[in-house]
């Protein structure tokens, strides 16, 4: 009988959409603000390198390939990508080039990055470590969000089961789930420490933990509904 009731409810809601009839007023709605959070750890850091170069017109054609080649000398373990490329002509007639490149590197590849950047620099082409951020990559965030959604679904099921135990004649069921994600936390403190060490020639680079974690959250507005007792009893009587 419960399956029959749910089938009738589904048909009525479908008719509502096609006939322009609003049945929302007939529903007993319960709105639940739910939240889940967990730590997501990463073993890699997002390394940003700023390249400043001055070239003539002929040098513009080879500057990008030259920069990519030098970045592999900085670390051949990462997959380097140029994320910005700005150029403007200076007063001497040379082209002033500013390039920002990024790659994710394992902890073992982060040692002496400042010294390596200095070693691959040359007159007219300098490399500077701009930032090192221990933030999760896209795959790690996707896995964490999948786990958080599962957590919220389970919370919703628990709430529905509780409602149906307290109000057995109501037959509550899941009606709507709207997810939203709060802003990601700021980069870990280790990043700021790392940048300060990179700017100081004498300061040692602090070694972060093997796995650096960020807390991620997922919030949802969950709506569960039932039809009024009178309608449910009438359907169950047939």
């Amino acid at each position: 009988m419960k399956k029959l009731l749910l089938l009738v409810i589904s048909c009525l809601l479908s008719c509502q959409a096609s006939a322009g009839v609003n049945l929302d007023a007939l529903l007993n709605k319960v709105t639940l603000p739910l939240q889940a959070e967990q730590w997501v750890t990463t073993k890699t850091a997002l390394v940003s390198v700023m390249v400043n170069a001055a070239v003539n017109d002929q040098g513009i054609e080879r500057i990008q390939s030259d920069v990519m080649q030098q970045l592999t000398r900085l670390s051949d373990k990462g997959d380097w990508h140029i994320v910005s490329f700005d150029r403007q002509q200076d007063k001497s007639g040379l082209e002033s080039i500013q390039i920002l490149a990024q790659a994710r590197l394992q902890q073992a590849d982060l040692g002496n990055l400042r010294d390596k950047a200095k070693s691959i620099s040359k007159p007219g082409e300098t490399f500077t470590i701009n930032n090192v951020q221990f933030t999760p990559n896209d795959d790690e965030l996707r896995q964490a969000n999948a786990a958080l959604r599962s957590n919220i679904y389970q919370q919703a099921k628990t709430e529905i089961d509780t409602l149906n135990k307290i109000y057995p004649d109501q037959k509550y069921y899941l009606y709507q789930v709207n997810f939203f994600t709060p802003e990601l936390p700021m980069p870990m403190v280790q990043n700021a420490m790392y940048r300060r060490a990179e700017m100081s020639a004498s300061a040692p680079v602090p070694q972060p933990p093997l796995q650096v974690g960020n807390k991620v959250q997922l919030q949802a507005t969950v709506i569960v509904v039932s039809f009024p007792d009178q309608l449910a009893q009438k359907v169950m009587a047939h």
Side-chain angles (χ1 to χ4, degrees):
M1 289 299 180
K2 182 178 180 180
K3 291 183 179 180
L4 176 61
L5 174 60
L6 293 178
L7 179 60
V8 171
I9 291 173
S10 177
C11 292
L12 288 173
L13 292 176
S14 299
C15 293
Q16 167 193 358
S18 60
V21 179
N22 187 0
L23 298 180
D24 283 353
L26 298 178
L27 300 176
N28 292 328
K29 292 185 178 181
V30 177
T31 302
L32 306 169
L34 301 180
Q35 175 177 307
E37 64 180 28
Q38 72 175 47
W39 285 94
V40 52
T41 58
T42 182
K43 296 181 181 180
T44 62
L46 180 63
V47 178
S48 299
V49 179
M50 184 63 70
V51 184
N52 289 282
V55 299
N56 54 28
D57 289 340
Q58 292 76 20
I60 294 177
E61 297 179 359
R62 61 174 176 78
I63 184 65
Q64 183 169 336
S65 60
D66 182 63
V67 166
M68 294 300 292
Q69 183 178 2
Q70 296 300 327
L71 287 172
T72 59
R73 291 181 56 194
L74 183 64
S75 174
D76 60 358
K77 306 298 184 183
D79 186 13
W80 291 99
H81 296 276
I82 292 178
V83 296
S84 70
F85 187 104
D86 299 315
R87 55 176 285 192
Q88 59 182 355
Q89 193 174 55
D90 61 23
K91 294 181 179 180
S92 67
L94 293 176
E95 292 288 340
S96 178
I97 308 294
Q98 190 173 69
I99 297 173
L100 179 64
Q102 293 181 335
R104 296 199 73 93
L105 301 180
Q106 298 284 338
Q107 182 184 10
D109 301 318
L110 299 178
N112 301 318
L113 278 182
R114 186 186 66 82
D115 292 337
K116 290 179 181 178
K118 184 182 292 186
S119 70
I120 64 175
S121 297
K122 59 185 179 182
E125 188 177 296
T126 60
F127 292 75
T128 306
I129 304 300
N130 191 49
N131 203 357
V132 178
Q133 292 184 330
F134 284 90
T135 54
N137 61 33
D138 290 342
D139 286 339
E140 291 165 338
L141 287 174
R142 275 193 292 269
Q143 293 174 16
N145 279 313
L148 292 175
R149 287 194 300 271
S150 179
N151 184 306
I152 286 177
Y153 291 144
Q154 187 58 50
Q155 291 184 54
K157 182 180 182 304
T158 300
E159 294 285 350
I160 292 171
D161 290 344
T162 300
L163 283 169
N164 284 326
K165 287 180 181 177
I166 297 175
Y167 306 106
D169 296 331
Q170 293 291 307
K171 305 297 186 280
Y172 280 94
Y173 65 96
L174 183 64
Y175 181 70
Q176 191 176 74
V177 181
N178 293 317
F179 291 106
F180 55 97
T181 306
E183 290 186 8
L184 287 175
M186 294 296 291
M188 300 295 290
V189 175
Q190 288 91 332
N191 301 329
M193 295 171 59
Y194 194 98
R195 288 194 295 273
R196 288 197 297 270
E198 283 289 334
M199 290 186 290
S200 173
S202 59
V205 176
Q207 293 300 315
L210 179 61
Q211 296 188 24
V212 179
N214 284 37
K215 183 179 289 187
V216 293
Q217 291 184 345
L218 185 63
Q219 298 176 358
T221 300
V222 175
I223 300 177
V224 298
V225 299
S226 75
F227 271 81
D229 288 343
Q230 299 89 338
L231 179 58
Q233 290 170 4
K234 183 180 296 185
V235 172
M236 294 297 290
H238 290 286

